[in-house]
């Protein structure tokens, strides 16, 4: 039943040779490049921001990093426990993005994007989480549209991301404060010159 739903949704979303070139090109950009927002935004939140909010931002970055690590580990385990070929490997639909014929479930891109969005939704602001959830959904759509993933690969990424965030919250309660203090000390030592120049926050 789930496999039938997977096929039905895939055929409804997958591009065809008749699809507009501009839409395929936009999907390729979203599928390949938009994910770089994740590390860039994390670095920006750590280095800059209003002085009164920097500590909270850095706690968020640490939580996000923990959630991402847990999520990617879960994704790797699930990929080995429940291997599933990509659509183009099975000769299903149309394929517009070169990709290795490795296992597709759950989607690593989906896992990263949904973990990031859920983290902001849970630990930052609802509006920022909703914006990033929109970005995550766009990434999920693009990779199905281009034929490198099944829709349920993306649902798997969402569920893995939620599990990663919940686990990270538990870990934060256990070790968050000392971890935050240790990373702060290491950061201030390594980047002391840049901090003194005022280029980045203390």
């Amino acid at each position: 039943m789930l496999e039938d739903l997977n096929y039905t949704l895939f055929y409804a979303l997958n591009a065809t040779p008749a699809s507009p070139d501009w839409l395929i090109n936009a999907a390729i950009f979203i599928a390949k490049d938009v994910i770089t927002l994740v590390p860039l935004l994390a670095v920006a939140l750590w280095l800059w921001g209003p002085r009164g909010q920097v500590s909270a931002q850095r706690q968020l970055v640490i939580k996000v990093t923990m959630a991402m690590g847990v999520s990617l580990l879960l994704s790797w385990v699930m990929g080995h426990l429940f291997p599933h070929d990509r659509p183009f490997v099975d000769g299903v639909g149309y394929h517009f993005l070169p990709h290795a014929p490795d296992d597709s479930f759950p989607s690593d891109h989906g896992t990263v994007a949904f973990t990031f969005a859920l983290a902001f939704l849970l630990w930052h602001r609802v509006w920022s989480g909703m914006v990033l959830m929109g970005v995550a959904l766009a990434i999920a759509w693009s990779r199905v549209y281009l034929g490198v993933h099944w829709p349920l690969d993306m649902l798997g990424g969402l569920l893995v991301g939620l599990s990663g965030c919940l686990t990270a919250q538990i870990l934060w309660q256990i070790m968050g404060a000392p971890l935050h203090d240790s990373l702060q000390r290491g950061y201030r030592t390594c980047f002391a010159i840049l901090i003194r120049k005022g280029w980045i926050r203390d």
Side-chain angles (χ1 to χ4, degrees):
M1 181 178 176
L2 281 178
E3 198 66 3
D4 290 340
L5 177 62
N6 216 13
Y7 273 77
T8 300
L9 292 174
F10 178 81
Y11 280 120
L13 295 170
N14 185 219
T16 71
S19 299
D21 288 342
W22 69 266
L23 188 54
I24 291 175
N25 290 331
I28 290 172
F29 170 74
I30 294 169
K32 291 176 60 178
D33 299 322
V34 173
I35 199 73
T36 57
L37 283 173
V38 171
L40 292 177
L41 186 53
V43 169
L45 284 169
W46 185 277
L47 296 179
W48 300 289
R51 190 170 298 278
Q53 297 179 19
V54 168
S55 179
Q57 289 179 187
R58 289 175 181 169
Q59 290 180 33
L60 172 63
V61 171
I62 296 169
K63 285 183 178 181
V64 168
T65 304
M66 293 168 69
M68 203 69 71
V70 172
S71 294
L72 289 173
L73 177 61
L74 285 174
S75 177
W76 181 82
V77 170
M78 289 180 66
H80 283 75
L81 291 177
F82 308 104
H84 197 292
D85 287 336
R86 294 179 184 272
F88 64 87
V89 174
D90 288 341
V92 177
Y94 297 94
H95 173 217
F96 296 91
L97 184 67
H99 201 291
D102 51 0
D103 292 329
S104 69
F105 181 86
S107 164
D108 287 338
H109 277 74
T111 295
V112 170
F114 283 121
T115 300
F116 201 61
L118 287 167
F120 273 73
L121 200 59
L122 294 170
W123 300 320
H124 190 246
R125 305 278 191 278
V126 172
W127 70 264
S128 63
M130 294 303 294
V131 169
L132 289 170
M133 186 59 70
V135 173
L137 289 170
I139 292 172
W141 161 81
S142 69
R143 297 185 73 81
V144 176
Y145 184 75
L146 297 171
V148 295
H149 272 292
W150 301 97
L152 292 188
D153 297 342
M154 299 304 168
L155 177 60
L158 173 62
L159 296 176
V160 166
L162 181 59
S163 299
C165 288
L166 294 176
T167 304
Q169 182 61 37
I170 295 171
L171 293 173
W172 180 261
Q173 298 299 325
I174 298 171
M175 55 185 288
L179 179 60
H180 173 259
D181 292 344
S182 297
L183 291 173
Q184 281 274 68
R185 287 194 297 270
Y187 162 74
R188 286 168 178 159
T189 300
C190 294
F191 295 93
I193 294 175
L194 298 181
I195 291 171
R196 282 200 300 270
K197 288 180 177 291
W199 293 352
I200 55 179
R201 287 294 189 192
D202 181 7

